[in-house]
Amino acid sequence: MNDIADLRKRLESRELFQPLFNDFIRRSIDEQKKQENDPENPYNFSSFYERYIDNYARVNTDIVFEHCESPIERIFINSLTLLFLKNRNTELQVIPPLENVEDAISNFRNNHQDILRVIERYKKDTGDAEMINFEQFIQGKIDSGRYKKGDYEIFEYHKLVVDNFIWNSYHLSLQAGFPNYKIDGKSIRADILIWCPGNEKIKLIVECDGYQYHSSKESFERDRKRDRLLKSKGYDVVRFSGSEIYRDPVKVSSDLYDLIEVIYNCNEKL
């Protein structure tokens, strides 16, 4: 019991979480290196994995501590982040709150597909499959006023990073807003929305129900109305009570991980 209490404190406090988080990163990197046939090869996967995890996992953690006001949510999401590290799974992106999450997702998908179409058209029209002269091509478009400065970096980011690492990752949007969906005249804001840019079937809403805000008959009924409305819009809804998160954060994060991996396996792309 004392071990669980200590874990809760570490998951909730940024200062206490950092050493635990660093230890998971180190263990995750070491375990990945064991899988390599030639760990001295500077171009092997583990060398990339080390840089990638050290960057994106820390960004995810920064977002959690900056935007999760609820201790229960911090405990839950930080436990899930550690589980992704333990399993050497790079497919997790934590997203800050969005006022209109559906519009943001649609814009993200459309922008990425538009960029890929420009890239493919460039390859077809020029025969430059390796895109050796692509930067010069974009600069010409900037000079003509069609594109703005910095657009080349945007194209490169989407071509190299989004397409290969982000497009098929699980995106965990905090405090996701649905202004067009209303219950009793109030717009819906979900605790967590899990989605995948490359798979529109993944639409999982996770609610962390603290007793203080979900104990009355009125709140119970409102929650059921929310669930029915969201399900009618194509979302799956799963609820975890604050007490079960508090009692065993490892168990609930493991349950959620299994759910999104087994039922919403991001490796099965559209």
Side-chain angles (χ1 to χ4, degrees):
M1 191 68 178
N2 289 335
D3 290 342
I4 294 294
D6 179 66
L7 176 60
R8 282 197 300 267
K9 292 178 181 178
R10 290 173 179 268
L11 293 172
E12 182 182 347
S13 163
R14 185 169 198 151
E15 181 180 0
L16 296 177
F17 181 70
Q18 201 62 48
L20 177 64
F21 177 70
N22 290 337
D23 182 61
F24 267 74
I25 287 182
R26 179 184 59 80
R27 289 172 181 267
S28 184
I29 291 170
D30 289 346
E31 188 61 33
Q32 183 59 49
K33 287 180 178 179
K34 291 179 183 178
Q35 308 301 318
E36 299 287 352
N37 294 326
D38 182 9
E40 301 302 321
N41 180 359
Y43 304 108
N44 61 23
F45 179 77
S46 64
S47 63
F48 157 78
Y49 180 84
E50 181 172 1
R51 292 191 295 271
Y52 184 87
I53 282 297
D54 195 56
N55 179 32
Y56 275 92
R58 294 185 190 283
V59 170
N60 286 342
T61 300
D62 288 342
I63 292 173
V64 169
F65 280 108
E66 182 177 353
H67 294 285
C68 279
E69 296 181 0
S70 165
I72 288 297
E73 290 179 20
R74 288 200 297 272
I75 290 171
F76 192 11
I77 299 171
N78 282 336
S79 180
L80 183 66
T81 299
L82 295 182
L83 187 55
F84 269 79
L85 284 173
K86 178 179 180 294
N87 293 333
R88 305 195 311 282
N89 189 337
T90 61
E91 297 181 336
L92 180 66
Q93 303 282 325
V94 179
I95 310 297
L98 296 166
E99 290 298 322
N100 190 327
V101 69
E102 290 187 321
D103 277 0
I105 292 172
S106 178
N107 290 337
F108 182 91
R109 287 178 172 144
N110 291 338
N111 290 341
H112 179 63
Q113 296 291 7
D114 287 345
I115 287 172
L116 292 187
R117 279 192 286 269
V118 170
I119 290 172
E120 290 307 310
R121 187 164 60 245
Y122 166 82
K123 291 180 180 179
K124 182 179 180 180
D125 292 346
T126 65
D128 182 12
E130 301 299 322
M131 302 184 68
I132 297 172
N133 298 314
F134 185 66
E135 183 175 6
Q136 183 179 351
F137 166 80
I138 294 295
Q139 185 59 52
K141 299 294 184 182
I142 294 172
D143 293 341
S144 68
R146 182 170 181 180
Y147 293 146
K148 299 177 182 178
K149 289 184 179 180
D151 280 345
Y152 174 73
E153 286 76 11
I154 294 175
F155 275 91
E156 284 292 281
Y157 175 74
H158 277 261
K159 176 171 69 76
L160 297 175
V161 179
V162 174
D163 198 39
N164 290 291
F165 306 112
I166 295 179
W167 188 247
N168 292 314
S169 291
Y170 300 113
H171 285 51
L172 194 156
S173 289
L174 306 175
Q175 297 299 314
F178 295 88
N180 298 321
Y181 304 157
K182 299 180 185 295
I183 295 296
D184 299 333
K186 294 184 63 175
S187 297
I188 290 176
R189 180 174 292 275
D191 290 337
I192 300 168
L193 169 65
I194 296 174
W195 56 284
C196 176
N199 190 337
E200 295 185 16
K201 293 181 180 179
I202 299 176
K203 300 170 68 175
L204 177 64
I205 286 175
V206 181
E207 297 287 1
C208 306
D209 294 343
Y211 181 79
Q212 179 180 359
Y213 298 104
H214 299 269
S215 58
S216 69
K217 179 181 177 181
E218 291 76 14
S219 62
F220 182 89
E221 292 180 352
R222 186 169 57 251
D223 288 344
R224 272 64 201 166
K225 289 180 182 179
R226 281 164 50 97
D227 292 356
R228 290 196 298 270
L229 176 57
L230 289 166
K231 286 178 181 179
S232 74
K233 302 299 182 180
Y235 292 90
D236 292 314
V237 181
V238 60
R239 290 183 176 274
F240 293 90
S241 71
S243 58
E244 65 178 325
I245 295 172
Y246 187 81
R247 183 169 58 248
D248 195 345
V250 175
K251 174 65 167 59
V252 293
S253 62
S254 180
D255 286 349
L256 179 57
Y257 184 92
D258 289 344
L259 178 65
I260 61 179
E261 277 291 272
V262 174
I263 301 179
Y264 298 107
N265 194 328
C266 236
N267 292 321
E268 296 177 4
K269 313 305 177 193
L270 292 178

